[in-house]
Amino acid sequence: MSKIICSAAIRGAQKIIDMAESSYEDAVKKYGEDKEVSFPNTAYFLPIIYSMLGAKVEKLGDMKDIFLECRKLMPPVVTGDIWLPYLAPALDAGMATFFAEEMYEAIRYLNEPGLYTATEDPTADNFWLGAADDVIFRKRGVEFVDGSAPGFAAILGTPKDPEMAAKIAIELQEKNLYIFMHDQTEGISLPDQLLKQKQQVGWGTRLVPFGREYTTAVFAIGFACRVALAFGGVKPGDYAGNLKYNKDRTFAFVMAFGEVSDEWYANAAGAINWGFPTISDYDIPQILPTGVCTYEHVVSNVPHEEIVQKAIEVRGLKVNVTKIDIPMSFGPAFEGERVRKDDLFMECGGGRTPGVEVLISKEMDEIEDGLVTLEGLDISDLERGQNVPLGILVEVAGREMQSDFEPILERQFHHLMNYIQGIMHMGQRNIMWLRIGTAAVEKGFSFKHLGKVLHGKLHQEFGAIVDKIQVKLYTTEEGVKMVSDLATSVYTERDLRLGAMTDETEDVFYSCTLCQSFAPSHVCVITPERIGMCGAYNWLDGKASFNINPTGPNQPIEKGECTDEANGYYTGINEFVNQASRGAVPEVSCYSLMNNPMTACGCFEAIAAMLPTCNGIMVVNRDYLGMTPSGMKFTSLAGMAGGGMQTPGFMGVSKHYMTSKKLFKAEGGLKRVVWLPKMLKEEIAEKLKEVCADIGMPELFDMIATEEQGTTEEEIYEFLKEKGHPALEMETAV
């Protein structure tokens, strides 16, 4: 390793440790050793320290031993007359750097509580977000597992030219990477430059401004560590497993702009431990031999026009991006982009005009593949603010295409159209809403480009079942009405077909082992009446997935004989789960929370937990941040319900499952539910009221408590007694 880089990294690490320890000593004097410290609403303490050492830093006093560890890791300063293999000492210094910076940032949360917004998007007066809380992490972290986000670029500083800064950011977005932004170059930060170019920053666009100083690099590395802990099955303290997981699975790198300080060298050395190389535009020594990283460790003097491609090459990331022939950038990074009033050129649907979208299957000879037609005015024919109706009719044909697959393909419209920069799509079916930004119109966006996107991407994602696709767009009232009438009949038939399916009418269920890479013993069983706990896969999705990829994660399960109707024990399911979990889960019930409940990974929308005092069940959704009557918040409950383990009384569930007739059937069904967060209760209120009426207890809806009635079992018990909740009279479930 370069002697110059090694020397600089060790010097930088020493400065950082001294700075952090001084901050610690001042904090102890001010707050005392028992003062609690954390990154707000996170379940992994200080995640780098926790993942590498297994140490839980919960109070200021816990930091004392970690600083001792930092000092032990620190090698002697490299002198001019001693020549050694420099890589190992520099890596140790880099690891000590991250330990010290993580403690320094935790103390900053005490000293400067308003420094970071702790939100998903910037506020009006502050764009530095700080460490991702668990709601954001669970939502975004899974993307690093399912492949929709192959990795991230941790950027220090910024190019001086705002246009070049925006160009680099967009190029990284197009590679589906997250862009984590830190520190400044000559007083200018990358978020500054992007905002000058009217780029939206925040988690929604994958342009994440973590913090204004280099010490916030620990938020990026900590995020990677949390992915390994939460989704990779890596245990706290298994530093080798965590480092290997990230090297093999998280394709991240450091990109540095401008003069590299000793402190930056120290952070770069730390990142190399995880296999994350550094690519710089500055004239610094290079480390070209391979070793810890897949290829080179440090590459410098890279022109701005080439830096993204060089970073992709050095990290060994294989990005498969098929160019869609439209004038705007395209990719998942733009899915969270918003078209706000000031940027709006026009809109369709959403109550402003009629809007409808539908996909239907046709015979092969009825489709001309690639045909995109428009009947009516195009965007170029309109003035700003002139809205028109919009009907989108996608017709597909394929040898393996079935009518059951139509809603699955149609469901892709939302995210595919949102992938277009400057376009915002909301809703579906006949409540769709499309907003088109002025910048997109200035680049020549046409309604036909929607058709090109749908044609190209549906072919890519569903090529195994779809052979031909044509798209018809209408902006005339007559054309939109025709599509609307067709869609209404299709929706009605489709809903009847889906609604008529029950677990009893189908002999085959479907497995989902998509998450076994990070929860090896987990097997999700998807039935017609029980959607996957992530909320993303239903029975038809499993069927379609198996047809698309017969060796993939969704396999058919012959359910076999039902040996216990109440609990939902099936011989075929038990045989399949026992084999697919490699014997870890020999038996699973489909309808019980207490008896061999279904395992979970960590991607569940909500968690169900038994409340013994209330003789009932609570369900808490991921977005609810408060305390629950179980005495635990969602983040703590996740540790009980996840990881592929069966824990009676705790189970991951989807929001949709809350209105299923099979919900907690063994425990008495919906009548056993006693507490929901208000936001979840309101979200599913309409359907929940229907189910209450169906079971002959319309008053049950008002008997289910929320945090407004209490967040302890005792408070909820008193409410249940007052309301006469049926759970209190039911047989004890525990």
Side-chain angles (χ1 to χ4, degrees):
M1 183 172 185
S2 166
K3 183 177 180 180
I4 296 174
I5 291 181
C6 180
S7 303
I10 294 173
R11 286 196 307 269
Q14 189 63 62
K15 294 176 188 176
I16 291 167
I17 295 170
D18 290 344
M19 175 184 70
E21 198 158 26
S22 175
S23 175
Y24 161 72
E25 291 169 353
D26 290 342
V28 169
K29 291 177 184 177
K30 183 176 181 181
Y31 304 109
E33 291 189 353
D34 290 334
K35 180 68 175 178
E36 292 185 357
V37 292
S38 69
F39 295 155
N41 192 37
T42 61
Y44 299 101
F45 308 98
L46 303 188
I48 301 177
I49 294 171
Y50 186 49
S51 60
M52 294 295 106
L53 302 177
K56 300 178 180 179
V57 178
E58 300 176 90
K59 300 178 181 180
L60 276 172
D62 297 335
M63 293 181 176
K64 185 175 182 180
D65 290 341
I66 310 301
F67 279 113
L68 291 175
E69 187 67 27
C70 290
R71 298 297 182 187
K72 289 179 185 177
L73 284 169
M74 282 300 295
V77 176
V78 178
T79 63
D81 57 350
I82 297 178
W83 292 87
L84 296 168
Y86 297 117
L87 180 57
L91 295 181
D92 286 345
M95 187 65 73
T97 293
F98 285 152
F99 292 167
E101 287 181 344
E102 203 165 43
M103 292 185 287
Y104 180 78
E105 284 296 328
I107 293 169
R108 291 184 76 175
Y109 270 103
L110 292 179
N111 292 331
E112 304 175 73
L115 180 62
Y116 304 118
T117 67
T119 58
E120 192 164 4
D121 294 303
T123 61
D125 56 356
N126 186 9
F127 52 63
W128 296 118
L129 305 182
D133 71 14
D134 275 352
V135 172
I136 296 171
F137 166 68
R138 289 283 177 176
K139 180 179 178 182
R140 304 291 174 176
V142 71
E143 296 175 358
F144 288 78
V145 179
D146 66 19
S148 56
F152 62 81
I155 296 182
L156 292 166
T158 182
K160 294 181 181 179
D161 179 8
E163 291 186 7
M164 179 53 69
K167 180 178 181 296
I168 290 171
I170 289 173
E171 194 173 350
L172 290 167
Q173 285 177 301
E174 289 175 338
K175 302 295 187 291
N176 301 333
L177 295 162
Y178 274 84
I179 298 91
F180 295 154
M181 297 176 276
H182 318 268
D183 212 351
Q184 306 169 63
T185 300
E186 297 180 9
I188 303 172
S189 69
L190 183 54
D192 283 320
Q193 301 290 59
L194 298 180
L195 291 171
K196 288 177 184 176
Q197 294 297 301
K198 297 184 178 180
Q199 288 277 91
Q200 294 181 22
V201 300
W203 283 98
T205 57
R206 301 194 180 186
L207 298 170
V208 184
F210 269 141
R212 67 188 181 195
E213 296 181 7
Y214 63 82
T215 53
T216 60
V218 293
F219 297 154
I221 302 300
F223 190 93
C225 288
R226 291 161 72 186
V227 169
L229 290 170
F231 303 118
V234 180
K235 302 298 182 184
D238 180 7
Y239 61 87
N242 198 299
L243 299 178
K244 187 177 188 306
Y245 178 92
N246 276 290
K247 178 184 177 181
D248 295 341
R249 298 288 301 273
T250 306
F251 290 90
F253 50 85
V254 178
M255 192 177 286
F257 293 99
E259 184 174 356
V260 178
S261 64
D262 289 350
E263 290 83 355
W264 281 20
Y265 276 120
N267 277 272
I272 289 173
N273 282 287
W274 278 261
F276 303 161
T278 293
I279 296 85
S280 172
D281 65 348
Y282 201 67
D283 187 11
I284 60 174
Q286 300 191 107
I287 306 173
L288 300 181
T290 59
V292 179
C293 295
T294 304
Y295 299 116
E296 296 85 358
H297 298 74
V298 178
V299 178
S300 63
N301 258 339
V302 182
H304 290 163
E305 294 80 7
E306 303 172 13
I307 198 165
V308 172
Q309 188 55 48
K310 175 58 71 173
I312 298 297
E313 172 194 336
V314 171
R315 184 59 184 93
L317 172 61
K318 307 301 182 185
V319 179
N320 181 20
V321 178
T322 301
K323 184 68 176 177
I324 302 295
D325 187 20
I326 60 175
M328 289 77 61
S329 296
F330 180 90
F334 303 105
E335 186 174 9
E337 186 180 19
R338 296 291 179 261
V339 177
R340 298 186 172 91
K341 184 176 181 181
D342 292 343
D343 304 321
L344 181 64
F345 182 83
M346 65 160 298
E347 50 193 331
C348 308
R352 280 71 173 168
T353 67
V356 60
E357 58 191 29
V358 65
L359 180 143
I360 61 173
S361 50
K362 306 278 282 188
E363 296 298 324
M364 293 285 283
D365 58 2
E366 296 180 281
I367 303 287
E368 180 183 341
D369 187 47
L371 177 66
V372 178
T373 60
L374 171 65
E375 182 181 302
L377 298 174
D378 203 349
I379 297 173
S380 60
D381 302 318
L382 306 174
E383 300 291 332
R384 181 171 184 173
Q386 183 181 352
N387 301 328
V388 294
L390 178 63
I392 302 175
L393 172 61
V394 178
E395 298 172 323
V396 304
R399 289 176 294 276
E400 303 297 327
M401 183 63 193
Q402 302 176 26
S403 59
D404 285 344
F405 301 160
E406 292 174 358
I408 302 166
L409 273 66
E410 187 179 292
R411 199 177 67 189
Q412 312 307 309
F413 291 7
H414 173 69
H415 74 266
L416 293 180
M417 284 190 269
N418 270 322
Y419 283 2
I420 307 171
Q421 185 184 29
I423 305 301
M424 186 177 82
H425 179 279
M426 298 179 68
Q428 58 182 354
R429 292 190 167 190
N430 55 3
I431 58 170
M432 61 85 72
W433 180 16
L434 192 74
R435 304 191 90 189
I436 299 172
T438 301
V441 176
E442 290 174 348
K443 292 181 179 179
F445 183 70
S446 161
F447 283 124
K448 284 189 175 183
H449 291 133
L450 295 174
K452 290 186 177 182
V453 166
L454 295 175
H455 169 262
K457 295 303 291 183
L458 289 175
H459 259 306
Q460 287 179 28
E461 296 185 12
F462 296 95
I465 58 174
V466 173
D467 298 312
K468 291 184 176 183
I469 304 170
Q470 66 184 21
V471 183
K472 299 175 180 177
L473 301 113
Y474 301 87
T475 59
T476 63
E477 291 186 7
E478 297 81 7
V480 174
K481 186 178 185 306
M482 181 273 294
V483 177
S484 183
D485 291 343
L486 171 64
T488 299
S489 63
V490 169
Y491 300 154
T492 301
E493 180 184 348
R494 189 183 294 170
D495 290 342
L496 287 172
R497 186 168 68 246
L498 292 171
M501 292 171 56
T502 68
D503 290 0
E504 289 73 29
T505 63
E506 305 301 321
D507 294 327
V508 174
F509 294 165
Y510 286 91
S511 71
C512 184
T513 55
L514 186 66
C515 302
Q516 273 201 346
S517 59
F518 50 86
S521 61
H522 171 54
V523 182
C524 197
V525 179
I526 302 171
T527 81
E529 295 182 84
R530 179 169 183 158
I531 193 171
M533 61 192 68
C534 65
Y537 288 84
N538 62 27
W539 187 89
L540 286 175
D541 294 327
K543 182 179 179 181
S545 176
F546 176 70
N547 278 269
I548 294 168
N549 182 8
T551 61
N554 302 111
Q555 294 295 308
I557 307 174
E558 294 286 344
K559 69 181 185 183
E561 179 187 357
C562 179
T563 59
D564 187 327
E565 185 178 345
N567 283 283
Y569 286 121
Y570 294 88
T571 56
I573 290 176
N574 284 335
E575 290 173 7
F576 183 93
V577 170
N578 184 43
Q579 179 182 12
S581 69
R582 301 167 184 84
V585 184
E587 191 173 40
V588 66
S589 65
C590 291
Y591 312 137
S592 178
L593 175 67
M594 297 302 300
N595 304 315
N596 298 310
M598 197 173 296
T599 60
C601 48
C603 306
F604 30 69
E605 286 188 306
I607 298 171
M610 182 61 69
L611 299 176
T613 300
C614 299
N615 198 35
I617 297 170
M618 57 157 265
V619 180
V620 56
N621 56 304
R622 185 180 298 279
D623 295 332
Y624 177 70
L625 305 181
M627 183 57 68
T628 73
S630 68
M632 293 179 279
K633 295 184 178 180
F634 183 93
T635 50
S636 299
L637 286 163
M640 304 292 293
M645 304 298 293
Q646 283 182 315
T647 309
F650 298 88
M651 184 171 66
V653 296
S654 69
K655 296 176 184 178
H656 184 273
Y657 186 53
M658 291 301 300
T659 56
S660 169
K661 292 181 180 179
K662 297 299 193 292
L663 175 75
F664 312 136
K665 183 179 177 182
E667 287 74 40
L670 186 61
K671 293 179 182 180
R672 186 73 74 168
V673 177
V674 298
W675 189 89
L676 300 171
K678 183 181 178 182
M679 65 169 67
L680 176 58
K681 188 176 180 182
E682 290 179 345
E683 182 178 344
I684 62 174
E686 184 176 345
K687 185 63 176 176
L688 196 60
K689 289 177 181 178
E690 290 180 13
V691 178
C692 291
D694 287 344
I695 63 175
M697 283 195 69
E699 69 276 13
L700 179 61
F701 180 84
D702 293 324
M703 294 180 177
I704 299 173
T706 72
E707 68 272 23
E708 291 185 342
Q709 283 74 51
T711 55
T712 67
E713 278 208 71
E714 292 73 18
E715 291 172 332
I716 302 309
Y717 180 74
E718 292 301 321
F719 174 79
L720 300 179
K721 283 202 304 182
E722 177 187 331
K723 292 289 187 179
H725 194 290
L728 299 181
E729 303 299 325
M730 298 172 76
E731 182 180 349
T732 302
V734 292

